[in-house]
Amino acid sequence: MDRTGMSLSPSNISLYGDITTTGFYLLGIDGNTIFPRDLYRLDVNMYFFSFLSQYWGIGYGNGKRNDGYTEYKRKEIQIKLDFYREIALNTFIGVTGMYRHVNGKDFKDIRFLEGERNKISSLGGGFILTYDSRDFIPNPYKGTYAKIEQTFFPKFLGNCYSFQRTDLQIRHYDELWKGAVLAYDLNGTFKSGNTPWSMVAHLGKETLPSYGLGYRWEFKNRVNIRLDYGIGKGQSSFYFNINEAF
């Protein structure tokens, strides 16, 4: 938006999608707008996906049972908007809003929901604080990104359940040498209140290590096409994307 501010990261918007041989498909729009002098920022993320999944219920006890799950199809729509204002160098404070609709279809055993609805819409808003010293947002070589986000989903907004969500995210980038970047990504999601099954935080019941190799082709300055091959427990996948994973 500010073509004279050559030191600023450019605004960007991406249309992204995924499809797998197991029946999963996803289509979304993700973007961030940098206003003049980087005084304001607007982040947008919207997506729709559908995939066949398994549901064990809530809690570690349910997750420990190897055969204690039901299969179902999950269809999900989410719209998320974040609007910030700079309050200090590289530091922003703002508001966030989220809408998510989940439709759980074709449950083989609906009793796993323990009386909850299979279709749930959640609408919430809250506050967000970020620190961002990345040198180039789409493809950082150095810098730190940290975010804490507090969102409330009260009943007066039409939610069937009243709950809160706290998100923490820390990313750090170091350029080891020209063409080599070491990056760290740490995430945490915490829920409190009467959280519906569609909005609970996901956590493995067992350790699932993965590893792989990747190739990067810089088809324009600071914009990469990436091809990754990942290997996990009993499966492997190719990933083809524009820009980095984070």
Side-chain angles (χ1 to χ4, degrees):
M1 297 184 68
D2 184 0
R3 298 184 181 274
T4 64
M6 301 305 294
S7 63
L8 301 179
S9 288
S11 302
N12 72 90
I13 188 167
S14 302
L15 176 68
Y16 62 94
D18 288 298
I19 187 169
T20 72
T21 56
T22 58
F24 170 83
Y25 61 89
L26 176 148
L27 184 66
I29 296 174
D30 184 45
N32 66 293
T33 301
I34 308 295
F35 289 83
R37 306 195 313 274
D38 202 9
L39 186 60
Y40 296 96
R41 291 184 178 184
L42 174 66
D43 294 345
V44 178
N45 187 19
M46 301 181 287
Y47 65 75
F48 166 78
F49 70 70
S50 173
F51 74 100
L52 298 174
S53 186
Q54 298 168 338
Y55 183 70
W56 277 261
I58 297 175
Y60 292 100
N62 290 325
K64 286 182 178 180
R65 303 199 309 268
N66 293 329
D67 58 348
Y69 65 86
T70 180
E71 295 181 343
Y72 78 107
K73 178 181 288 186
R74 183 181 181 114
K75 294 182 177 291
E76 180 172 322
I77 299 172
Q78 178 171 297
I79 301 173
K80 191 173 186 300
L81 303 174
D82 301 329
F83 185 71
Y84 319 82
R85 190 190 193 285
E86 187 180 39
I87 58 172
L89 181 63
N90 298 327
T91 305
F92 299 81
I93 190 170
V95 294
T96 181
M98 174 192 287
Y99 170 77
R100 179 185 291 179
H101 175 77
V102 175
N103 181 8
K105 301 183 64 178
D106 305 327
F107 276 90
K108 288 192 174 181
D109 190 347
I110 197 68
R111 293 176 298 177
F112 276 79
L113 291 185
E114 298 181 358
E116 291 195 59
R117 302 178 182 183
N118 67 307
K119 296 181 182 180
I120 296 180
S121 294
S122 300
L123 176 64
F127 306 97
I128 188 168
L129 176 67
T130 66
Y131 174 83
D132 190 359
S133 64
R134 293 173 294 180
D135 60 332
F136 189 73
I137 293 175
N139 186 7
Y141 287 179
K142 59 183 178 180
T144 299
Y145 175 77
K147 179 184 74 171
I148 180 169
E149 181 178 316
Q150 181 65 52
T151 310
F152 303 91
F153 297 85
K155 281 192 174 182
F156 69 78
L157 289 181
N159 297 295
C160 298
Y161 308 90
S162 179
F163 62 101
Q164 300 83 42
R165 164 176 161 162
T166 304
D167 286 300
L168 302 174
Q169 188 175 73
I170 299 175
R171 295 173 175 176
H172 183 71
Y173 306 84
D174 285 316
E175 187 174 18
L176 303 181
W177 61 83
K178 184 176 176 57
V181 177
L182 181 63
Y184 311 83
D185 185 24
L186 177 65
N187 293 279
T189 299
F190 308 90
K191 304 290 179 66
S192 60
N194 190 18
T195 308
W197 72 272
S198 60
M199 293 290 290
V200 295
H202 295 170
L203 180 68
K205 309 311 175 187
E206 58 180 306
T207 301
L208 296 175
S210 61
Y211 57 95
L213 297 172
Y215 174 78
R216 301 295 185 270
W217 174 51
E218 189 179 39
F219 79 101
K220 61 181 296 186
N221 186 37
R222 300 296 291 268
V223 178
N224 290 342
I225 290 179
R226 66 184 181 95
L227 179 64
D228 295 328
Y229 181 66
I231 302 172
K233 187 177 181 180
Q235 59 183 334
S236 61
S237 297
F238 276 106
Y239 297 88
F240 175 80
N241 291 87
I242 296 176
N243 289 331
E244 291 301 323
F246 62 89

